[in-house]
Amino acid sequence: MPMQIISPDLNIDFLRYRKITIGLSLIVIALGIAAAIARGGIPTGIDFAGGTEFQLRFDPGVTVDEGRLRDVVRGAGFLDATVVRFGEVDASEFLVKFKERPDESAGAEPEVEDGLEANTRVARLEATIRQAIGPFVEQRVEYVGPKVGADLRRDGANSMLMAAIAILIYIAFRFNARYAPGAVVATFHDVFLTAGILVMANIEFDLQILAALLAIVGYSLNDTIIIYDRIRENLELHPAQDLEAVLNLSVNQTMSRTVLTAGTTVLAVLALLFLGGEVIFPFSFTMLIGIVVGTYSSIFIASPLLLFLERRYGDRKTRGGTGKRSATRERTARA
């Protein structure tokens, strides 16, 4: 028997609050857009904005950790620098990344530097690190130009678009074409809402954030499909029942599964958030927001969207999207 932490007889009128929840989502998204406009655009990390990264390995006997190296780098004026350790905890090899200008103000348009200037700044920073911590060997130095960042941004947008198209095709094939728009809108709602919160929190968008957003797309879609599947089953079992009542019944019946899935995933993400360190904090924080938003949208956004589409465009035959069996049942009943 499956584990039930919430009674299967739960009877909450979730769709009663649909106007409030949809309005709340629109407000948060609007605040995110306003924050982006006020800051002169979405804050971007080195992957998208361009910058310099260099890898170094400290000599044996030099005591150093990520925190100390990060303090030295930021103390030299590279306030947006990130430090990543390579290898085990006791390894002394690190990757340091920073943007074009150490004194670049928030929201300012970054200037383009050439390779010579980048090498000069790296040389000055390396001298500061040697003086503050100890000797090391430079492994490599790479400059990420603005064109590479623009290509990555374009590829990220294309990946989101392809994910949306794949969702449309899958939902239309798995259920009915009437289910697909609600699932896609709910998925994009999760991405925009999460991105809006990140912009308001002034977290820079980089490849970590892009990976987290794509993971959120998959998580949210899976939760929505579970509820849609139960809706389809209940529409076949209760063909004469009001559609809104069927939607509420389906959400209540899947609530135990939703809470279990979200709860266990949140525990894993919280472990990454508090134990993973500063390097993966943006990814962990984005995933935490996305799980909460994805669970919320599956309950309060996806089902109301399906209700709206069916009431506006559906009819008695196709309102539930149960396919040929529903149409056959209707014809048999009339006969």
Side-chain angles (χ1 to χ4, degrees):
M1 182 178 180
M3 180 179 180
Q4 294 279 357
I5 62 173
I6 295 179
S7 172
D9 299 325
L10 186 70
N11 185 24
I12 300 175
D13 189 359
F14 290 104
L15 270 71
R16 176 184 178 183
Y17 307 102
R18 60 184 180 273
K19 292 183 180 179
I20 297 175
T21 55
I22 292 174
L24 179 62
S25 295
L26 293 175
I27 290 173
V28 175
I29 293 173
L31 288 174
I33 294 173
I37 295 174
R39 294 192 174 102
I42 297 175
T44 53
I46 296 172
D47 297 323
F48 295 151
T52 305
E53 64 180 33
F54 68 96
Q55 183 178 339
L56 52 89
R57 185 179 67 239
F58 285 92
D59 294 350
V62 176
T63 302
V64 61
D65 57 29
E66 289 172 273
R68 186 182 177 193
L69 180 57
R70 188 178 297 114
D71 291 341
V72 171
V73 173
R74 292 180 178 175
F78 298 83
L79 302 181
D80 59 0
T82 59
V83 177
V84 182
R85 181 192 293 271
F86 279 18
E88 302 297 331
V89 176
D90 57 347
S92 297
E93 192 166 346
F94 300 87
L95 179 67
V96 180
K97 297 181 179 182
F98 53 85
K99 290 185 181 177
E100 281 85 353
R101 299 293 184 207
D103 56 350
E104 188 177 42
S105 59
E109 191 70 24
E111 301 178 32
V112 179
E113 63 179 353
D114 56 25
L116 180 60
E117 185 177 351
N119 289 335
T120 301
R121 294 179 59 224
V122 169
R124 290 201 301 265
L125 180 57
E126 288 181 345
T128 302
I129 295 173
R130 285 192 175 93
Q131 182 178 1
I133 299 178
F136 61 84
V137 177
E138 179 188 282
Q139 301 292 97
R140 64 183 176 90
V141 177
E142 293 183 2
Y143 170 61
V144 181
K147 185 178 184 304
V148 175
D151 290 342
L152 289 173
R153 289 196 300 270
R154 185 185 64 250
D155 291 343
N158 289 339
S159 64
M160 288 292 182
L161 179 61
M162 288 187 289
I165 294 173
I167 290 170
L168 274 168
I169 296 172
Y170 173 75
I171 297 294
F173 176 78
R174 170 78 182 273
F175 297 99
N176 182 284
R178 293 190 182 277
Y179 283 86
V184 172
V185 171
T187 301
F188 272 96
H189 158 275
D190 298 346
V191 173
F192 290 139
L193 194 61
T194 303
I197 295 173
L198 293 176
V199 171
M200 287 188 284
N202 200 29
I203 293 180
E204 295 181 341
F205 282 65
D206 56 15
L207 291 178
Q208 283 192 63
I209 301 298
L210 176 61
L213 290 176
L214 289 173
I216 290 168
V217 168
Y219 178 89
S220 174
L221 178 62
N222 177 69
D223 211 21
T224 300
I225 285 176
I226 295 298
I227 295 177
Y228 275 8
D229 200 42
R230 184 57 60 90
I231 290 171
R232 180 175 62 174
E233 293 175 1
N234 285 330
L235 283 169
E236 292 182 350
L237 293 173
H238 311 285
Q241 193 170 356
D242 179 68
L243 178 59
E244 184 173 343
V246 173
L247 295 179
N248 267 319
L249 174 65
S250 303
V251 174
N252 279 282
Q253 288 178 340
T254 56
M255 185 55 58
S256 180
R257 181 263 175 203
T258 299
V259 172
L260 279 171
T261 302
T264 52
T265 311
V266 163
L267 288 176
V269 172
L270 285 175
L272 291 175
L273 188 67
F274 292 109
L275 303 177
E278 184 176 346
V279 175
I280 64 170
F281 175 82
F283 175 84
S284 306
F285 184 66
T286 305
M287 285 297 300
L288 180 63
I289 296 173
I291 291 169
V292 175
V293 170
T295 304
Y296 154 82
S297 74
S298 298
I299 298 171
F300 293 106
I301 303 297
S303 297
L305 282 172
L306 180 59
L307 178 65
F308 169 77
L309 291 171
E310 289 301 318
R311 283 183 171 176
R312 188 171 182 87
Y313 303 108
D315 53 37
R316 189 168 178 80
K317 287 184 184 179
T318 60
R319 67 175 189 174
T322 53
K324 296 181 179 179
R325 286 181 291 179
S326 292
T328 302
R329 182 171 58 248
E330 293 287 341
R331 289 193 295 268
T332 303
R334 287 197 297 270

mmCIF file of all heavy atoms in Angstrom, residues 176-212:
data_model
loop_
_atom_site.group_PDB
_atom_site.id
_atom_site.type_symbol
_atom_site.label_atom_id
_atom_site.label_comp_id
_atom_site.label_asym_id
_atom_site.label_seq_id
_atom_site.Cartn_x
_atom_site.Cartn_y
_atom_site.Cartn_z
ATOM 1 N N ASN A 176 -4.155 15.122 -24.699
ATOM 2 C CA ASN A 176 -4.945 15.724 -25.751
ATOM 3 C C ASN A 176 -4.390 17.115 -25.974
ATOM 4 O O ASN A 176 -3.813 17.703 -25.066
ATOM 5 C CB ASN A 176 -6.421 15.782 -25.326
ATOM 6 C CG ASN A 176 -7.331 16.368 -26.399
ATOM 7 O OD1 ASN A 176 -7.343 17.560 -26.597
ATOM 8 N ND2 ASN A 176 -8.084 15.501 -27.062
ATOM 9 N N ALA A 177 -4.581 17.652 -27.165
ATOM 10 C CA ALA A 177 -4.016 18.965 -27.470
ATOM 11 C C ALA A 177 -4.515 20.041 -26.517
ATOM 12 O O ALA A 177 -3.839 21.048 -26.298
ATOM 13 C CB ALA A 177 -4.353 19.349 -28.913
ATOM 14 N N ARG A 178 -5.684 19.855 -25.913
ATOM 15 C CA ARG A 178 -6.221 20.859 -25.004
ATOM 16 C C ARG A 178 -5.433 20.919 -23.689
ATOM 17 O O ARG A 178 -5.490 21.922 -22.982
ATOM 18 C CB ARG A 178 -7.695 20.593 -24.709
ATOM 19 C CG ARG A 178 -8.585 20.778 -25.916
ATOM 20 C CD ARG A 178 -10.046 20.755 -25.514
ATOM 21 N NE ARG A 178 -10.900 20.880 -26.693
ATOM 22 C CZ ARG A 178 -11.205 22.031 -27.262
ATOM 23 N NH1 ARG A 178 -10.725 23.142 -26.764
ATOM 24 N NH2 ARG A 178 -11.998 22.070 -28.322
ATOM 25 N N TYR A 179 -4.733 19.864 -23.347
ATOM 26 C CA TYR A 179 -3.922 19.879 -22.124
ATOM 27 C C TYR A 179 -2.615 20.637 -22.320
ATOM 28 O O TYR A 179 -2.051 21.166 -21.367
ATOM 29 C CB TYR A 179 -3.586 18.448 -21.694
ATOM 30 C CG TYR A 179 -4.715 17.705 -21.018
ATOM 31 C CD1 TYR A 179 -5.660 17.009 -21.760
ATOM 32 C CD2 TYR A 179 -4.814 17.674 -19.635
ATOM 33 C CE1 TYR A 179 -6.681 16.302 -21.142
ATOM 34 C CE2 TYR A 179 -5.825 16.969 -19.009
ATOM 35 C CZ TYR A 179 -6.760 16.284 -19.773
ATOM 36 O OH TYR A 179 -7.765 15.594 -19.151
ATOM 37 N N ALA A 180 -2.098 20.626 -23.540
ATOM 38 C CA ALA A 180 -0.748 21.132 -23.784
ATOM 39 C C ALA A 180 -0.557 22.610 -23.428
ATOM 40 O O ALA A 180 0.420 22.954 -22.753
ATOM 41 C CB ALA A 180 -0.357 20.871 -25.241
ATOM 42 N N PRO A 181 -1.449 23.518 -23.859
ATOM 43 C CA PRO A 181 -1.199 24.932 -23.537
ATOM 44 C C PRO A 181 -1.103 25.200 -22.041
ATOM 45 O O PRO A 181 -0.246 25.973 -21.597
ATOM 46 C CB PRO A 181 -2.414 25.643 -24.159
ATOM 47 C CG PRO A 181 -2.883 24.726 -25.233
ATOM 48 C CD PRO A 181 -2.630 23.353 -24.721
ATOM 49 N N GLY A 182 -1.964 24.571 -21.242
ATOM 50 C CA GLY A 182 -1.915 24.777 -19.800
ATOM 51 C C GLY A 182 -0.606 24.317 -19.200
ATOM 52 O O GLY A 182 -0.027 24.997 -18.331
ATOM 53 N N ALA A 183 -0.102 23.168 -19.657
ATOM 54 C CA ALA A 183 1.165 22.656 -19.131
ATOM 55 C C ALA A 183 2.330 23.557 -19.515
ATOM 56 O O ALA A 183 3.221 23.826 -18.697
ATOM 57 C CB ALA A 183 1.401 21.234 -19.649
ATOM 58 N N VAL A 184 2.336 24.047 -20.756
ATOM 59 C CA VAL A 184 3.434 24.912 -21.205
ATOM 60 C C VAL A 184 3.395 26.256 -20.480
ATOM 61 O O VAL A 184 4.427 26.757 -20.024
ATOM 62 C CB VAL A 184 3.363 25.122 -22.731
ATOM 63 C CG1 VAL A 184 4.372 26.170 -23.177
ATOM 64 C CG2 VAL A 184 3.641 23.809 -23.450
ATOM 65 N N VAL A 185 2.203 26.842 -20.358
ATOM 66 C CA VAL A 185 2.092 28.122 -19.655
ATOM 67 C C VAL A 185 2.520 27.966 -18.200
ATOM 68 O O VAL A 185 3.230 28.821 -17.651
ATOM 69 C CB VAL A 185 0.650 28.664 -19.750
ATOM 70 C CG1 VAL A 185 0.481 29.884 -18.839
ATOM 71 C CG2 VAL A 185 0.316 29.033 -21.183
ATOM 72 N N ALA A 186 2.112 26.872 -17.557
ATOM 73 C CA ALA A 186 2.507 26.639 -16.162
ATOM 74 C C ALA A 186 4.026 26.482 -16.047
ATOM 75 O O ALA A 186 4.637 26.968 -15.087
ATOM 76 C CB ALA A 186 1.806 25.393 -15.628
ATOM 77 N N THR A 187 4.638 25.822 -17.027
ATOM 78 C CA THR A 187 6.090 25.639 -17.000
ATOM 79 C C THR A 187 6.817 26.968 -17.165
ATOM 80 O O THR A 187 7.763 27.279 -16.427
ATOM 81 C CB THR A 187 6.518 24.661 -18.109
ATOM 82 O OG1 THR A 187 5.864 23.403 -17.906
ATOM 83 C CG2 THR A 187 8.023 24.448 -18.077
ATOM 84 N N PHE A 188 6.384 27.768 -18.131
ATOM 85 C CA PHE A 188 7.009 29.071 -18.315
ATOM 86 C C PHE A 188 6.727 29.994 -17.128
ATOM 87 O O PHE A 188 7.557 30.838 -16.780
ATOM 88 C CB PHE A 188 6.540 29.711 -19.621
ATOM 89 C CG PHE A 188 7.374 29.316 -20.800
ATOM 90 C CD1 PHE A 188 6.990 28.275 -21.623
ATOM 91 C CD2 PHE A 188 8.556 29.967 -21.067
ATOM 92 C CE1 PHE A 188 7.766 27.890 -22.699
ATOM 93 C CE2 PHE A 188 9.351 29.601 -22.143
ATOM 94 C CZ PHE A 188 8.956 28.556 -22.967
ATOM 95 N N HIS A 189 5.567 29.820 -16.517
ATOM 96 C CA HIS A 189 5.260 30.576 -15.297
ATOM 97 C C HIS A 189 6.314 30.295 -14.238
ATOM 98 O O HIS A 189 6.805 31.208 -13.559
ATOM 99 C CB HIS A 189 3.863 30.183 -14.792
ATOM 100 C CG HIS A 189 3.628 30.465 -13.339
ATOM 101 N ND1 HIS A 189 4.003 29.575 -12.337
ATOM 102 C CD2 HIS A 189 3.074 31.513 -12.708
ATOM 103 C CE1 HIS A 189 3.674 30.076 -11.168
ATOM 104 N NE2 HIS A 189 3.111 31.251 -11.351
ATOM 105 N N ASP A 190 6.694 29.018 -14.083
ATOM 106 C CA ASP A 190 7.697 28.653 -13.075
ATOM 107 C C ASP A 190 9.049 29.281 -13.388
ATOM 108 O O ASP A 190 9.742 29.775 -12.490
ATOM 109 C CB ASP A 190 7.841 27.128 -13.008
ATOM 110 C CG ASP A 190 6.547 26.454 -12.588
ATOM 111 O OD1 ASP A 190 5.653 27.169 -12.104
ATOM 112 O OD2 ASP A 190 6.434 25.235 -12.767
ATOM 113 N N VAL A 191 9.432 29.269 -14.663
ATOM 114 C CA VAL A 191 10.718 29.849 -15.056
ATOM 115 C C VAL A 191 10.726 31.351 -14.820
ATOM 116 O O VAL A 191 11.664 31.903 -14.225
ATOM 117 C CB VAL A 191 11.016 29.530 -16.537
ATOM 118 C CG1 VAL A 191 12.264 30.276 -17.003
ATOM 119 C CG2 VAL A 191 11.208 28.021 -16.730
ATOM 120 N N PHE A 192 9.675 32.030 -15.263
ATOM 121 C CA PHE A 192 9.625 33.491 -15.113
ATOM 122 C C PHE A 192 9.529 33.900 -13.649
ATOM 123 O O PHE A 192 10.154 34.885 -13.228
ATOM 124 C CB PHE A 192 8.445 34.069 -15.897
ATOM 125 C CG PHE A 192 8.623 34.002 -17.384
ATOM 126 C CD1 PHE A 192 7.569 33.656 -18.217
ATOM 127 C CD2 PHE A 192 9.848 34.275 -17.970
ATOM 128 C CE1 PHE A 192 7.726 33.602 -19.585
ATOM 129 C CE2 PHE A 192 10.026 34.222 -19.340
ATOM 130 C CZ PHE A 192 8.966 33.881 -20.151
ATOM 131 N N LEU A 193 8.746 33.155 -12.872
ATOM 132 C CA LEU A 193 8.599 33.500 -11.451
ATOM 133 C C LEU A 193 9.915 33.287 -10.713
ATOM 134 O O LEU A 193 10.337 34.132 -9.911
ATOM 135 C CB LEU A 193 7.494 32.650 -10.827
ATOM 136 C CG LEU A 193 6.974 33.097 -9.455
ATOM 137 C CD1 LEU A 193 6.375 34.488 -9.539
ATOM 138 C CD2 LEU A 193 5.937 32.114 -8.926
ATOM 139 N N THR A 194 10.581 32.180 -10.982
ATOM 140 C CA THR A 194 11.883 31.918 -10.355
ATOM 141 C C THR A 194 12.904 32.956 -10.781
ATOM 142 O O THR A 194 13.659 33.483 -9.944
ATOM 143 C CB THR A 194 12.373 30.513 -10.738
ATOM 144 O OG1 THR A 194 11.405 29.537 -10.352
ATOM 145 C CG2 THR A 194 13.692 30.193 -10.049
ATOM 146 N N ALA A 195 12.941 33.260 -12.084
ATOM 147 C CA ALA A 195 13.879 34.269 -12.571
ATOM 148 C C ALA A 195 13.599 35.629 -11.959
ATOM 149 O O ALA A 195 14.530 36.372 -11.617
ATOM 150 C CB ALA A 195 13.808 34.351 -14.098
ATOM 151 N N GLY A 196 12.329 35.972 -11.783
ATOM 152 C CA GLY A 196 11.991 37.244 -11.165
ATOM 153 C C GLY A 196 12.483 37.344 -9.736
ATOM 154 O O GLY A 196 13.004 38.390 -9.310
ATOM 155 N N ILE A 197 12.354 36.270 -8.985
ATOM 156 C CA ILE A 197 12.853 36.255 -7.604
ATOM 157 C C ILE A 197 14.373 36.378 -7.586
ATOM 158 O O ILE A 197 14.949 37.090 -6.747
ATOM 159 C CB ILE A 197 12.390 34.968 -6.885
ATOM 160 C CG1 ILE A 197 10.863 34.961 -6.755
ATOM 161 C CG2 ILE A 197 13.034 34.856 -5.510
ATOM 162 C CD1 ILE A 197 10.297 33.673 -6.208
ATOM 163 N N LEU A 198 15.057 35.711 -8.523
ATOM 164 C CA LEU A 198 16.513 35.797 -8.588
ATOM 165 C C LEU A 198 16.970 37.221 -8.921
ATOM 166 O O LEU A 198 17.956 37.701 -8.358
ATOM 167 C CB LEU A 198 17.048 34.819 -9.637
ATOM 168 C CG LEU A 198 16.872 33.334 -9.338
ATOM 169 C CD1 LEU A 198 17.366 32.496 -10.516
ATOM 170 C CD2 LEU A 198 17.600 32.935 -8.070
ATOM 171 N N VAL A 199 16.252 37.869 -9.836
ATOM 172 C CA VAL A 199 16.609 39.249 -10.185
ATOM 173 C C VAL A 199 16.428 40.156 -8.973
ATOM 174 O O VAL A 199 17.279 41.003 -8.676
ATOM 175 C CB VAL A 199 15.758 39.743 -11.371
ATOM 176 C CG1 VAL A 199 15.974 41.237 -11.596
ATOM 177 C CG2 VAL A 199 16.129 38.981 -12.640
ATOM 178 N N MET A 200 15.328 39.992 -8.253
ATOM 179 C CA MET A 200 15.096 40.810 -7.063
ATOM 180 C C MET A 200 16.140 40.546 -5.986
ATOM 181 O O MET A 200 16.495 41.437 -5.217
ATOM 182 C CB MET A 200 13.685 40.564 -6.523
ATOM 183 C CG MET A 200 12.591 41.180 -7.366
ATOM 184 S SD MET A 200 10.955 41.072 -6.596
ATOM 185 C CE MET A 200 10.562 39.341 -6.887
ATOM 186 N N ALA A 201 16.640 39.303 -5.921
ATOM 187 C CA ALA A 201 17.698 38.970 -4.968
ATOM 188 C C ALA A 201 19.080 39.346 -5.486
ATOM 189 O O ALA A 201 20.078 39.119 -4.790
ATOM 190 C CB ALA A 201 17.660 37.471 -4.648
ATOM 191 N N ASN A 202 19.147 39.892 -6.722
ATOM 192 C CA ASN A 202 20.403 40.338 -7.350
ATOM 193 C C ASN A 202 21.414 39.200 -7.496
ATOM 194 O O ASN A 202 22.617 39.368 -7.286
ATOM 195 C CB ASN A 202 21.036 41.489 -6.555
ATOM 196 C CG ASN A 202 22.013 42.285 -7.401
ATOM 197 O OD1 ASN A 202 21.875 42.378 -8.616
ATOM 198 N ND2 ASN A 202 23.024 42.848 -6.763
ATOM 199 N N ILE A 203 20.923 38.038 -7.866
ATOM 200 C CA ILE A 203 21.784 36.883 -8.126
ATOM 201 C C ILE A 203 22.119 36.846 -9.613
ATOM 202 O O ILE A 203 21.227 36.950 -10.467
ATOM 203 C CB ILE A 203 21.097 35.581 -7.685
ATOM 204 C CG1 ILE A 203 20.955 35.570 -6.163
ATOM 205 C CG2 ILE A 203 21.879 34.356 -8.152
ATOM 206 C CD1 ILE A 203 20.293 34.328 -5.620
ATOM 207 N N GLU A 204 23.390 36.716 -9.925
ATOM 208 C CA GLU A 204 23.826 36.752 -11.316
ATOM 209 C C GLU A 204 23.444 35.468 -12.051
ATOM 210 O O GLU A 204 23.571 34.368 -11.519
ATOM 211 C CB GLU A 204 25.347 36.944 -11.377
ATOM 212 C CG GLU A 204 25.814 38.283 -10.839
ATOM 213 C CD GLU A 204 27.318 38.426 -10.938
ATOM 214 O OE1 GLU A 204 28.007 37.390 -11.080
ATOM 215 O OE2 GLU A 204 27.811 39.570 -10.877
ATOM 216 N N PHE A 205 23.014 35.643 -13.291
ATOM 217 C CA PHE A 205 22.644 34.518 -14.133
ATOM 218 C C PHE A 205 23.891 34.005 -14.849
ATOM 219 O O PHE A 205 24.589 34.749 -15.526
ATOM 220 C CB PHE A 205 21.592 34.943 -15.155
ATOM 221 C CG PHE A 205 20.205 35.056 -14.599
ATOM 222 C CD1 PHE A 205 19.904 36.004 -13.646
ATOM 223 C CD2 PHE A 205 19.203 34.189 -15.016
ATOM 224 C CE1 PHE A 205 18.624 36.112 -13.117
ATOM 225 C CE2 PHE A 205 17.926 34.284 -14.497
ATOM 226 C CZ PHE A 205 17.636 35.256 -13.550
ATOM 227 N N ASP A 206 24.153 32.720 -14.687
ATOM 228 C CA ASP A 206 25.275 32.084 -15.366
ATOM 229 C C ASP A 206 24.852 30.678 -15.766
ATOM 230 O O ASP A 206 23.655 30.347 -15.760
ATOM 231 C CB ASP A 206 26.529 32.077 -14.482
ATOM 232 C CG ASP A 206 26.279 31.413 -13.135
ATOM 233 O OD1 ASP A 206 25.247 30.722 -12.974
ATOM 234 O OD2 ASP A 206 27.117 31.568 -12.227
ATOM 235 N N LEU A 207 25.809 29.839 -16.137
ATOM 236 C CA LEU A 207 25.465 28.492 -16.577
ATOM 237 C C LEU A 207 24.852 27.653 -15.462
ATOM 238 O O LEU A 207 24.036 26.764 -15.724
ATOM 239 C CB LEU A 207 26.721 27.798 -17.129
ATOM 240 C CG LEU A 207 27.259 28.365 -18.450
ATOM 241 C CD1 LEU A 207 28.518 27.631 -18.875
ATOM 242 C CD2 LEU A 207 26.210 28.287 -19.545
ATOM 243 N N GLN A 208 25.234 27.914 -14.202
ATOM 244 C CA GLN A 208 24.612 27.213 -13.076
ATOM 245 C C GLN A 208 23.119 27.518 -13.014
ATOM 246 O O GLN A 208 22.289 26.611 -12.827
ATOM 247 C CB GLN A 208 25.260 27.642 -11.761
ATOM 248 C CG GLN A 208 26.612 27.042 -11.462
ATOM 249 C CD GLN A 208 27.016 27.290 -10.026
ATOM 250 O OE1 GLN A 208 26.374 26.823 -9.106
ATOM 251 N NE2 GLN A 208 28.075 28.052 -9.833
ATOM 252 N N ILE A 209 22.772 28.796 -13.156
ATOM 253 C CA ILE A 209 21.371 29.190 -13.101
ATOM 254 C C ILE A 209 20.603 28.601 -14.282
ATOM 255 O O ILE A 209 19.466 28.132 -14.129
ATOM 256 C CB ILE A 209 21.247 30.729 -13.103
ATOM 257 C CG1 ILE A 209 21.994 31.320 -11.904
ATOM 258 C CG2 ILE A 209 19.788 31.141 -13.083
ATOM 259 C CD1 ILE A 209 21.475 30.895 -10.560
ATOM 260 N N LEU A 210 21.229 28.616 -15.463
ATOM 261 C CA LEU A 210 20.578 28.032 -16.635
ATOM 262 C C LEU A 210 20.303 26.546 -16.415
ATOM 263 O O LEU A 210 19.211 26.051 -16.723
ATOM 264 C CB LEU A 210 21.451 28.228 -17.878
ATOM 265 C CG LEU A 210 20.938 27.591 -19.170
ATOM 266 C CD1 LEU A 210 19.585 28.174 -19.556
ATOM 267 C CD2 LEU A 210 21.943 27.791 -20.302
ATOM 268 N N ALA A 211 21.280 25.816 -15.867
ATOM 269 C CA ALA A 211 21.084 24.394 -15.587
ATOM 270 C C ALA A 211 19.959 24.181 -14.579
ATOM 271 O O ALA A 211 19.132 23.266 -14.723
ATOM 272 C CB ALA A 211 22.386 23.788 -15.069
ATOM 273 N N ALA A 212 19.910 25.036 -13.554
ATOM 274 C CA ALA A 212 18.851 24.917 -12.552
ATOM 275 C C ALA A 212 17.481 25.186 -13.160
ATOM 276 O O ALA A 212 16.500 24.485 -12.854
ATOM 277 C CB ALA A 212 19.122 25.881 -11.396
#
